Amino acid sequence: MGMGIDVRNRMARRAAEEISPGMVVNLGIGIPSLVPNHLAKKTMVMFHAENGIVGMGRSPEKGFEDENLCNAGGFPVTVMEGSSYCDSSVAFGMIRRGRVDLTILGSLQVSQNGDLANWIVPGKKVPGMGGAMELAQKAGKVAVLMNHTDKNGVPKIVESCTLPLTAENCVDIIITDLAVFKIIEGSIILSELFAPHTIPEVTAKTACDFSIVEDLRIIEY
């Protein structure tokens, strides 16, 4: 079952807290594309897209989309003052040189030590891996936004990934519809809960052991 827009926006709002002024931030398709909508309008951040935009803004209002202006997933975007365009080779060059401070990606699975599997389910048709491998290896910080379980209720946070890996030991923070985990030195730690979800619920839907911070934050928004 898919998530409602309110839940997706709550996750995107939490992800926006990871962004500091002056960052260059890459956004994956899906829920990550909602993140710019939850930043203060004058926050100086340059959102980067692999198809060659540096300086994406908020999602356009309905009826004001520009058919020639889209992100790497093909969805309409706006641009900020001072934005620039380049070809994909330059956009990927920025990634490979470590010029992206933060990438916010979706995922199919994340392991307890930060392995990322987000590009293919064997036997399923996919358009390609996109820039996930470069971003996972080279971005300064990797944040994952995803459902806590798949559509069949199978946990997506696991002891060891069973799907082909995008990159090893790369994920720093996981934000799901239930909770927020941080991965520090190969250990996964529950740091925040979205109200009204509970620790027993998160435990039942997580396929690995995790520790819990003493000052667990409850996110009410």
Side-chain angles (χ1 to χ4, degrees), residues 41-86:
K41 288 187 177 180
K42 294 188 178 180
T43 303
M44 295 305 296
V45 174
M46 299 300 279
F47 287 104
H48 168 280
E50 298 101 302
N51 59 323
I53 305 174
V54 181
M56 290 187 297
R58 295 173 172 237
S59 302
E61 295 182 13
K62 189 174 182 179
F64 289 88
E65 299 92 344
D66 182 339
E67 64 182 9
N68 296 309
L69 189 57
C70 66
N71 61 20
F75 294 97
V77 295
T78 62
V79 291
M80 300 168 55
E81 182 178 353
S83 63
S84 61
Y85 305 96
C86 59

Coordinates of all heavy atoms in Angstrom, one line a residue, residues 41-86:
K41 N 11.8 29.9 2.3 CA 11.9 30.4 0.9 C 13.3 31.0 0.6 O 13.8 30.9 -0.5 CB 10.8 31.3 0.6 CG 9.5 30.7 0.4 CD 8.4 31.7 -0.1 CE 7.1 31.0 -0.3 NZ 6.0 31.9 -0.8
K42 N 13.9 31.6 1.6 CA 15.2 32.3 1.4 C 16.4 31.5 1.8 O 17.5 32.0 1.9 CB 15.2 33.7 2.1 CG 14.1 34.6 1.5 CD 14.3 36.0 2.0 CE 13.3 37.0 1.4 NZ 13.4 38.4 1.9
T43 N 16.2 30.2 2.1 CA 17.4 29.4 2.4 C 18.3 29.2 1.2 O 17.8 28.8 0.1 CB 16.9 28.0 2.9 OG1 16.0 28.1 4.0 CG2 18.1 27.1 3.3
M44 N 19.5 29.5 1.4 CA 20.5 29.5 0.2 C 21.0 28.1 0.1 O 22.0 27.7 0.7 CB 21.6 30.5 0.4 CG 21.1 32.0 0.4 SD 20.2 32.4 -1.1 CE 21.5 32.2 -2.3
V45 N 20.3 27.3 -0.7 CA 20.7 25.9 -1.0 C 20.6 25.7 -2.5 O 19.7 26.2 -3.2 CB 19.8 24.9 -0.3 CG1 20.2 23.5 -0.7 CG2 19.9 25.0 1.2
M46 N 21.6 25.0 -3.1 CA 21.6 24.7 -4.5 C 21.2 23.2 -4.7 O 22.0 22.4 -4.4 CB 22.9 25.1 -5.2 CG 23.3 26.5 -5.0 SD 22.1 27.7 -5.8 CE 22.6 27.5 -7.5
F47 N 20.0 23.0 -5.2 CA 19.6 21.6 -5.5 C 20.1 21.2 -6.9 O 19.9 21.9 -7.9 CB 18.1 21.5 -5.4 CG 17.6 21.5 -4.0 CD1 17.0 22.7 -3.5 CD2 17.8 20.4 -3.1 CE1 16.5 22.7 -2.2 CE2 17.3 20.5 -1.8 CZ 16.7 21.6 -1.4
H48 N 20.7 20.0 -6.9 CA 21.4 19.5 -8.1 C 20.7 18.3 -8.7 O 20.2 17.5 -7.9 CB 22.8 19.0 -7.6 CG 23.6 18.2 -8.6 ND1 23.4 16.9 -8.8 CD2 24.6 18.6 -9.4 CE1 24.3 16.4 -9.7 NE2 25.0 17.5 -10.1
A49 N 20.6 18.3 -10.0 CA 20.0 17.2 -10.7 C 20.9 16.6 -11.7 O 21.6 17.4 -12.4 CB 18.7 17.6 -11.4
E50 N 21.0 15.3 -11.9 CA 21.9 14.7 -12.8 C 21.7 15.0 -14.2 O 22.6 14.9 -15.0 CB 21.9 13.1 -12.6 CG 22.2 12.6 -11.3 CD 21.0 12.2 -10.5 OE1 20.1 13.1 -10.3 OE2 20.8 11.0 -10.1
N51 N 20.5 15.5 -14.6 CA 20.3 15.8 -16.0 C 20.8 17.2 -16.3 O 20.7 17.7 -17.4 CB 18.8 15.7 -16.3 CG 17.9 16.6 -15.5 OD1 18.1 16.8 -14.3 ND2 16.9 17.1 -16.1
G52 N 21.4 17.9 -15.3 CA 22.1 19.2 -15.6 C 21.5 20.4 -15.1 O 21.5 21.5 -15.8
I53 N 20.9 20.4 -13.9 CA 20.4 21.6 -13.2 C 21.1 21.8 -11.9 O 21.2 20.8 -11.1 CB 18.9 21.6 -13.0 CG1 18.2 21.4 -14.3 CG2 18.5 22.9 -12.4 CD1 16.6 21.2 -14.1
V54 N 21.6 23.0 -11.6 CA 22.1 23.3 -10.3 C 21.3 24.5 -9.8 O 21.5 25.6 -10.4 CB 23.6 23.6 -10.3 CG1 24.1 23.9 -8.8 CG2 24.4 22.4 -10.8
G55 N 20.4 24.4 -8.9 CA 19.6 25.5 -8.4 C 18.1 25.3 -8.6 O 17.4 26.2 -8.9
M56 N 17.7 24.0 -8.5 CA 16.2 23.7 -8.5 C 15.5 24.4 -7.3 O 16.0 24.5 -6.2 CB 16.0 22.2 -8.5 CG 16.4 21.5 -9.8 SD 15.8 19.8 -9.8 CE 16.7 19.1 -8.4
G57 N 14.3 24.8 -7.6 CA 13.5 25.4 -6.5 C 12.3 24.4 -6.2 O 12.4 23.2 -6.4
R58 N 11.2 25.1 -5.7 CA 10.1 24.3 -5.2 C 9.3 23.7 -6.5 O 9.5 24.2 -7.6 CB 9.1 25.2 -4.4 CG 9.7 25.7 -3.1 CD 8.8 26.7 -2.4 NE 9.3 27.0 -1.1 CZ 8.6 26.8 0.0 NH1 7.4 26.4 0.0 NH2 9.1 27.1 1.2
S59 N 8.4 22.8 -6.2 CA 7.6 22.2 -7.3 C 6.7 23.3 -7.8 O 6.2 24.2 -7.0 CB 6.7 21.1 -6.7 OG 7.5 20.0 -6.2
P60 N 6.5 23.4 -9.1 CA 5.6 24.4 -9.7 C 4.2 24.2 -9.3 O 3.7 23.1 -9.1 CB 5.8 24.3 -11.2 CG 6.2 22.9 -11.4 CD 7.0 22.5 -10.1
E61 N 3.4 25.3 -9.2 CA 2.0 25.2 -8.9 C 1.3 24.6 -10.2 O 1.8 24.8 -11.3 CB 1.4 26.6 -8.6 CG 1.9 27.2 -7.3 CD 1.3 28.5 -7.0 OE1 0.3 28.9 -7.7 OE2 1.8 29.2 -6.2
K62 N 0.2 23.9 -10.0 CA -0.5 23.3 -11.0 C -0.9 24.3 -12.1 O -1.4 25.4 -11.8 CB -1.7 22.6 -10.5 CG -2.4 21.7 -11.6 CD -3.5 20.9 -11.0 CE -4.1 20.0 -12.0 NZ -5.2 19.1 -11.5
G63 N -0.6 24.0 -13.3 CA -0.9 25.0 -14.4 C 0.3 25.9 -14.8 O 0.2 26.6 -15.8
F64 N 1.3 25.9 -13.9 CA 2.5 26.8 -14.2 C 3.7 25.9 -14.5 O 4.9 26.4 -14.4 CB 2.7 27.7 -13.0 CG 1.7 28.7 -12.8 CD1 0.5 28.5 -12.1 CD2 1.8 30.0 -13.4 CE1 -0.4 29.4 -12.0 CE2 0.9 31.0 -13.3 CZ -0.3 30.7 -12.6
E65 N 3.6 24.7 -14.9 CA 4.7 23.8 -15.2 C 5.3 24.3 -16.5 O 4.6 24.8 -17.4 CB 4.3 22.4 -15.3 CG 3.7 21.8 -14.1 CD 2.2 21.9 -14.0 OE1 1.6 22.7 -14.8 OE2 1.6 21.2 -13.2
D66 N 6.6 24.1 -16.6 CA 7.4 24.4 -17.9 C 7.8 23.1 -18.5 O 8.5 22.3 -17.9 CB 8.6 25.2 -17.6 CG 9.4 25.6 -18.9 OD1 9.2 24.9 -19.9 OD2 10.2 26.6 -18.8
E67 N 7.2 22.7 -19.6 CA 7.5 21.4 -20.2 C 8.9 21.2 -20.6 O 9.4 20.0 -20.8 CB 6.6 21.2 -21.5 CG 7.0 22.2 -22.6 CD 6.1 22.0 -23.8 OE1 5.1 21.3 -23.7 OE2 6.4 22.6 -24.9
N68 N 9.7 22.2 -20.6 CA 11.2 22.1 -20.9 C 12.0 22.1 -19.7 O 13.3 22.0 -19.8 CB 11.6 23.2 -21.8 CG 10.9 23.2 -23.2 OD1 10.9 22.1 -23.8 ND2 10.4 24.3 -23.6
L69 N 11.4 22.1 -18.5 CA 12.2 22.2 -17.2 C 11.7 21.1 -16.3 O 10.6 21.1 -15.8 CB 11.9 23.5 -16.6 CG 12.8 23.9 -15.4 CD1 14.3 23.9 -15.7 CD2 12.4 25.3 -14.9
C70 N 12.6 20.1 -16.1 CA 12.3 18.9 -15.3 C 13.5 18.4 -14.6 O 14.7 18.8 -14.9 CB 11.7 17.8 -16.2 SG 12.8 17.1 -17.3
N71 N 13.3 17.6 -13.6 CA 14.4 17.0 -12.9 C 14.8 15.7 -13.5 O 14.3 15.3 -14.6 CB 14.0 16.8 -11.4 CG 12.8 15.8 -11.2 OD1 12.5 15.0 -12.1 ND2 12.2 15.9 -10.0
A72 N 15.7 14.9 -12.9 CA 16.3 13.7 -13.5 C 15.2 12.6 -13.7 O 15.4 11.7 -14.5 CB 17.4 13.2 -12.7
G73 N 14.1 12.7 -12.9 CA 13.0 11.8 -13.0 C 12.0 12.2 -14.0 O 11.0 11.4 -14.2
G74 N 12.1 13.3 -14.7 CA 11.2 13.8 -15.7 C 10.0 14.6 -15.1 O 9.1 14.9 -15.8
F75 N 10.1 14.9 -13.8 CA 9.0 15.7 -13.2 C 9.3 17.2 -13.2 O 10.4 17.6 -13.1 CB 8.8 15.2 -11.7 CG 8.3 13.8 -11.6 CD1 9.2 12.8 -11.4 CD2 7.0 13.5 -11.8 CE1 8.8 11.5 -11.3 CE2 6.6 12.2 -11.7 CZ 7.5 11.2 -11.4
P76 N 8.2 18.0 -13.4 CA 8.5 19.5 -13.5 C 9.0 20.1 -12.3 O 8.7 19.7 -11.2 CB 7.1 20.0 -13.8 CG 6.1 19.0 -13.3 CD 6.8 17.6 -13.5
V77 N 9.9 21.0 -12.5 CA 10.5 21.8 -11.4 C 10.6 23.2 -11.7 O 10.3 23.7 -12.8 CB 12.0 21.3 -11.1 CG1 12.0 19.8 -10.6 CG2 12.9 21.4 -12.3
T78 N 10.9 24.0 -10.7 CA 11.3 25.4 -10.9 C 12.7 25.6 -10.7 O 13.4 24.7 -10.2 CB 10.4 26.3 -9.9 OG1 10.8 26.0 -8.6 CG2 8.9 26.1 -10.1
V79 N 13.2 26.8 -11.0 CA 14.6 27.1 -10.7 C 14.7 28.4 -9.9 O 13.8 29.3 -9.9 CB 15.5 27.3 -12.0 CG1 15.6 25.9 -12.7 CG2 14.9 28.3 -12.9
M80 N 15.8 28.5 -9.1 CA 16.0 29.7 -8.2 C 16.8 30.7 -9.0 O 17.5 30.4 -10.0 CB 16.8 29.2 -7.0 CG 16.0 28.2 -6.1 SD 17.1 27.5 -4.8 CE 17.7 29.0 -4.0
E81 N 16.8 31.9 -8.5 CA 17.7 32.9 -9.0 C 19.2 32.5 -8.8 O 19.5 32.0 -7.7 CB 17.5 34.3 -8.2 CG 18.3 35.4 -8.8 CD 18.0 36.7 -8.1 OE1 17.1 36.8 -7.3 OE2 18.7 37.7 -8.3
G82 N 20.0 32.6 -9.8 CA 21.4 32.2 -9.8 C 21.6 30.7 -10.2 O 22.7 30.2 -10.1
S83 N 20.5 30.0 -10.6 CA 20.7 28.7 -11.0 C 21.4 28.6 -12.4 O 21.6 29.6 -13.1 CB 19.3 28.0 -11.2 OG 18.5 28.7 -12.2
S84 N 21.9 27.4 -12.7 CA 22.6 27.2 -13.9 C 22.3 25.8 -14.5 O 21.8 25.0 -13.9 CB 24.1 27.3 -13.7 OG 24.6 26.3 -12.8
Y85 N 22.6 25.7 -15.8 CA 22.4 24.5 -16.6 C 23.7 24.0 -17.1 O 24.6 24.7 -17.4 CB 21.4 24.7 -17.7 CG 20.1 25.3 -17.3 CD1 19.9 26.7 -17.4 CD2 19.0 24.5 -16.8 CE1 18.7 27.3 -17.0 CE2 17.8 25.1 -16.4 CZ 17.7 26.5 -16.5 OH 16.5 27.0 -16.2
C86 N 23.8 22.6 -17.2 CA 24.9 22.0 -17.8 C 24.5 20.7 -18.4 O 23.4 20.3 -18.3 CB 26.0 21.8 -16.8 SG 25.5 20.7 -15.4

